[in-house]
Amino acid sequence: MNEKELLARFLTLVKPYRGRLAIAMVAMALVAAFGSAQAYMIKPVIDKIFIEKNEVMLRLLPFALILIFLGKGAAYYIYSSFLALVGQAVIRDLRKAIFDHIHSLPLSFFHNTSTGEIISRVINDVTTIQAAVSRALVGILRDALQVVGLIGVLFYLNWRMAIFTIFILPLAILPVVKFGQIFRKLSTNNQEITAQISSMLHETIVGHRIVKAFGMERYESGRFATLVNNLFAVMAKDVKFNSLQHPVMELFGGALAAGFIAYGGSLVFDARMTTGEFFAFLAALVMTFDPIKRVSTVNSLIQQGLAGARRVFAILDVEPDITDDPAASKLPPFKGEVRFNDVSFSYDGSEQVLSDINLTVPAGQILAIVGPSGGGKTTLVNLLPRFFEVSKGAITIDGEDLRDVTMASLRDQQAIVSQETVLFNDTVRNNIAYGDLDRSLAEIEAAARSANALEFIRQLPEGFDTVIGESGTRLSGGQRQRLSIARALLKNSPILILDEATSALDTESEREVQMALENLMRDRTTFVIAHRLSTIRRAHRIIVIDQGRIVESGSHDELLTAGGVYRRLYTMQVERD
C-alpha cells in the first residue's frame, strides 16, 4: 500500500469531523495571512519610520502590529485546538475499529498471529500514527499555507528575486526526500522488532513458572538482550540521521541566505530596491525556509506513522472468513437434536482433520468424545459455535443449518467450559455474569452455589466484589474452574461443551468440580471431551475419534467389551492411575 492509498484511507476516517476540520483550515489560512503580514510590515517600519521618520506611521504601525499579532494568536488557538481534537478523535475511532475488527476474526487468525504481535499493532503502531497525526500532519498543513502566503509577499516585494527563489527552494526539498526514505525503512524495522519484543515479553511472563522450573532465565535473558540490541542498533541509526538532517538543512538555508544578501545588497546599492523592501524580502525568505526545515524535523514522525498505518491497516484488511449470511435468521430455542451430516474439515485445505463425520445427538443426551491426542476431538466441538466452518457437509440444530442462522443466536444457546479457564481481571461477580452483566446478585449467587463456589467466594476479602487478578491468578485451579462453571450455569444455555474441564486438576479439586459439572449437565445436551474417564461413565453414549474419524460408538460397557481403541485407552489410564 503506497502513501497515496494510506492518505485516502485516512480521509475516510476524517469525514465525520469535516465541519471542525473546515473551521480549522479557515483559521489556519488566517494564521498564514497574518504571518505574511508580519513579514511585509518590516518594509513600512524601516522605510517610513527609521528612514523617512514619518510621525503618523510611528503612531499607526505599532498599533497595526498589535492587531496582527492578536489576530494571529486567536486564529492559531482555533486551528491548533480543533485540529488536535480531530486528530485525537480519529485515533480513538481507529483504536475502536481495530479492537472490534480483531474480535470479528476467526480462531485461525489468532492461531497464526502471536498475541504480542497483535498487542504491538494495537498499542505501539497506533501510537506512532497518533504522533504523526497530532504533531506532524498538523504542522505540515500549517506550514504549507504559510509558505504559500509568504511566497505571495516575495512576489509583491520583488518578482525577479521571487522567481529566483522559486527555482532555488526545491533544492532544499531533496534532503527531505532522501531522509524520508531512510526514516521509512528504519521505522518499519523498529516496529517489527518492537512487536517481537512484545511477543517475547508476553510468552515469558505468562510462562514464568516454566522458565524458572527449567532454569532457563539466562537463556531467555540472552534472547531478550539480542532483540533489545537489535532495536538499539535501529534506534542508533535513527538518532544519527535525525541529528544529521538538521545541519544539512541549516547549510542549505545559510547558502541560500548568503546568496540573497549578496544579490539584494547590490540592488539596494543601485537604488533598485529600498532598504525596507530588502529586509522585508529577507525576513519573508527566512520565514519561508523555516517551514521547510520543520518538514525535515517532522519527517521522521511521518515515516513512522506511515509504517504504523500500513501495519494497522493490514490487520483491518483481514476479512473474517466466517460471517452471517445476509438472509440468516434467528435460531429457535433448541428442542430436538444436533446432527452432523457427512462433516469434513481441514485447516489448510489439504490435510483433513475430520472426515465424513455422521452423528446425531438428541436433546438431553450426554455425549462423551474420547480418542488419542490430535485425533480431532476439540476441532469437532469447535464447529458447533462456528469457531471454524465445515469444509464439507453440514451441521444442523433442529434441522436448521448453522450457516443459515445468526452466530449471535447460535452461540447464545451454547455454553463452554474448557481446560484452559479464561477469567478476566475483574470482580468475581462480573466474571460469573460475563455475557449479561445486568443479572441480579441473587441469580449470580444461585449459580455460584450450584457450582460449589459460594463457600470460597464468601471467604474472599470482598466476596463477590473481589478482583481476582489477570486470568484469576489469585485463585486456585479448582476455584477458577468452578467460577467458569458458574458462568456457564448462569448463561443457562441448552447446549453445553466441556473440553477436558477437569484434566488439569488434582484429585480433591476434581471432586469439587465434578459435582459442579453434574449440576451443570443436568437437563442439557452435553458434548464432553474427557481426558479422565470419571465423567464418561455417566455419559449416555461415547464416541471414539481417531485420525479424524468416528471409529467406535456405544456405552462404556459396550466399548470395553468390543476391545477396540476405547478399551486400550481405558486400560492405559487405569494402569497409569
Side-chain angles (χ1 to χ4, degrees):
M1 186 183 300
N2 56 39
E3 284 78 358
K4 185 177 180 180
E5 292 171 331
L6 286 175
L7 181 59
R9 296 191 71 166
F10 267 123
L11 290 177
T12 61
L13 296 173
V14 173
K15 273 187 178 180
Y17 310 101
R18 52 183 176 269
R20 296 181 190 177
L21 194 60
I23 295 173
M25 294 298 288
V26 171
M28 193 181 295
L30 290 174
V31 170
F34 283 122
S36 301
Q38 287 175 333
Y40 177 78
M41 286 295 289
I42 295 176
K43 175 184 181 299
V45 166
I46 292 177
D47 287 343
K48 299 299 182 182
I49 297 178
F50 293 101
I51 294 179
E52 298 179 14
K53 303 186 185 307
N54 188 317
E55 293 185 6
V56 175
M57 289 297 178
L58 180 61
R59 288 192 294 269
L60 292 178
L61 290 180
F63 181 70
L65 279 173
I66 291 174
L67 291 179
I68 289 173
F69 277 95
L70 181 62
K72 183 179 180 181
Y76 179 88
Y77 171 78
I78 293 172
Y79 102 76
S80 179
S81 59
F82 271 60
L83 270 184
L85 288 174
V86 168
Q88 293 294 334
V90 168
I91 296 303
R92 176 199 63 194
D93 295 346
L94 187 58
R95 280 199 171 107
K96 290 167 63 177
I98 296 169
F99 187 84
D100 292 344
H101 184 70
I102 285 174
H103 286 283
S104 73
L105 297 177
L107 293 186
S108 58
F109 171 80
F110 300 95
H111 289 172
N112 298 327
T113 310
S114 70
T115 303
E117 173 77 13
I118 297 173
I119 292 173
S120 177
R121 295 202 184 191
V122 174
I123 297 178
N124 298 331
D125 292 343
V126 172
T127 300
T128 63
I129 298 174
Q130 180 177 353
V133 171
S134 61
R135 292 170 56 190
L137 292 180
V138 169
I140 285 178
L141 290 172
R142 176 198 62 210
D143 293 339
L145 289 174
Q146 183 174 336
V147 167
V148 171
L150 290 170
I151 287 177
V153 173
L154 293 177
F155 271 93
Y156 181 78
L157 291 170
N158 192 305
W159 64 271
R160 291 182 179 85
M161 289 181 64
I163 290 176
F164 182 65
T165 302
I166 295 298
F167 283 104
I168 294 298
L169 279 179
L171 295 177
I173 304 297
L174 295 178
V176 176
V177 175
K178 183 60 179 176
F179 280 117
Q181 295 171 347
I182 295 172
F183 288 136
R184 187 182 306 122
K185 182 178 179 181
L186 290 175
S187 180
T188 300
N189 292 340
N190 182 322
Q191 287 159 351
E192 288 175 351
I193 297 173
T194 300
Q196 294 174 19
I197 291 175
S198 178
S199 180
M200 183 182 175
L201 277 173
H202 179 267
E203 289 175 353
T204 53
I205 290 172
V206 171
H208 67 279
R209 288 184 297 179
I210 300 300
V211 174
K212 293 179 183 297
F214 285 83
M216 296 297 285
E217 293 91 342
R218 182 173 297 180
Y219 170 75
E220 296 296 347
S221 295
R223 289 178 61 207
F224 187 77
T226 299
L227 289 175
V228 171
N229 287 336
N230 291 341
L231 181 61
F232 174 78
V234 172
M235 294 299 294
K237 288 183 180 179
D238 187 81
V239 168
K240 180 181 72 173
F241 286 108
N242 253 317
S243 302
L244 180 62
Q245 69 174 342
H246 181 73
V248 169
M249 297 302 297
E250 286 287 318
L251 179 61
F252 270 86
L256 189 62
F260 275 102
I261 289 173
Y263 179 57
S266 66
L267 293 179
V268 173
F269 288 166
D270 295 339
R272 289 184 291 168
M273 191 177 195
T274 68
T275 304
E277 286 175 340
F278 171 76
F279 279 105
F281 192 96
L282 185 61
L285 179 63
V286 171
M287 291 175 68
T288 303
F289 194 68
D290 276 345
I292 296 176
K293 287 195 299 181
R294 282 197 294 268
V295 169
S296 70
T297 60
V298 301
N299 194 32
S300 175
L301 282 177
I302 293 174
Q303 298 307 323
Q304 291 175 13
L306 289 174
R310 191 170 283 106
R311 286 162 54 83
V312 166
F313 285 130
I315 282 188
L316 290 175
D317 288 340
V318 176
E319 293 290 340
D321 55 10
I322 301 177
T323 57
D324 283 338
D325 187 279
S329 59
K330 185 177 180 180
L331 179 66
F334 173 58
K335 295 178 180 178
E337 64 181 20
V338 177
R339 184 185 293 268
F340 289 72
N341 296 314
D342 295 321
V343 169
S344 297
F345 175 77
S346 171
Y347 287 105
D348 56 10
S350 57
E351 183 179 355
Q352 292 291 327
V353 179
L354 295 173
S355 299
D356 303 320
I357 300 294
N358 286 284
L359 179 66
T360 300
V361 184
Q365 185 178 92
I366 299 175
L367 175 73
I369 306 169
V370 301
S373 296
K377 303 184 298 296
T378 300
T379 301
L380 179 70
V381 296
N382 278 337
L383 296 176
L384 279 172
R386 287 187 73 193
F387 290 157
F388 299 104
E389 198 78 283
V390 298
S391 304
K392 177 189 144 185
I395 303 175
T396 62
I397 293 180
D398 291 345
E400 295 275 358
D401 192 314
L402 302 191
R403 292 166 292 195
D404 295 333
V405 300
T406 63
M407 282 186 286
S409 64
L410 172 66
R411 293 170 182 174
D412 186 55
Q413 298 196 46
Q414 300 181 37
I416 298 175
V417 180
S418 64
Q419 175 185 353
E420 298 178 0
T421 307
V422 177
L423 297 174
F424 300 93
N425 188 20
D426 203 340
T427 62
V428 171
R429 176 175 182 164
N430 286 345
N431 270 283
I432 294 177
Y434 194 75
D436 188 0
L437 298 178
D438 294 328
R439 301 296 284 268
S440 68
L441 182 59
E443 292 175 302
I444 295 171
E445 286 181 346
R449 184 180 295 107
S450 296
N452 290 336
L454 189 59
E455 182 178 349
F456 84 78
I457 291 173
R458 286 176 171 169
Q459 293 175 354
L460 295 174
E462 298 178 54
F464 281 90
D465 292 323
T466 302
V467 177
I468 61 175
E470 183 181 0
S471 299
T473 52
R474 298 177 186 174
L475 305 176
S476 69
Q479 290 172 337
R480 291 196 296 269
Q481 196 64 290
R482 278 178 277 167
L483 281 190
S484 68
I485 292 171
R487 180 170 61 197
L489 279 163
L490 189 64
K491 189 177 183 183
N492 196 28
S493 299
I495 299 174
L496 176 63
I497 298 172
L498 303 179
D499 189 354
E500 303 197 34
T502 63
S503 64
L505 303 177
D506 56 54
T507 303
E508 184 176 352
S509 297
E510 183 185 3
R511 189 179 300 113
E512 293 283 342
V513 170
Q514 192 61 52
M515 293 172 60
L517 287 175
E518 289 177 7
N519 292 331
L520 178 60
M521 290 187 292
R522 189 174 296 121
D523 300 324
R524 287 183 172 85
T525 306
T526 307
F527 295 79
V528 184
I529 297 177
H531 176 72
R532 298 180 182 179
L533 302 181
S534 52
T535 304
I536 290 179
R537 293 185 179 183
R538 297 177 178 84
H540 297 105
R541 184 160 53 118
I542 302 169
I543 62 171
V544 182
I545 294 183
D546 189 12
Q547 297 182 357
R549 297 179 181 274
I550 298 177
V551 295
E552 293 178 339
S553 177
S555 67
H556 172 72
D557 293 334
E558 289 171 347
L559 293 177
L560 283 180
T561 303
V565 177
Y566 180 80
R567 180 169 180 170
R568 176 169 55 85
L569 293 173
Y570 181 79
T571 303
M572 289 172 59
Q573 187 172 112
V574 170
E575 292 175 350
R576 185 169 61 248
D577 294 340

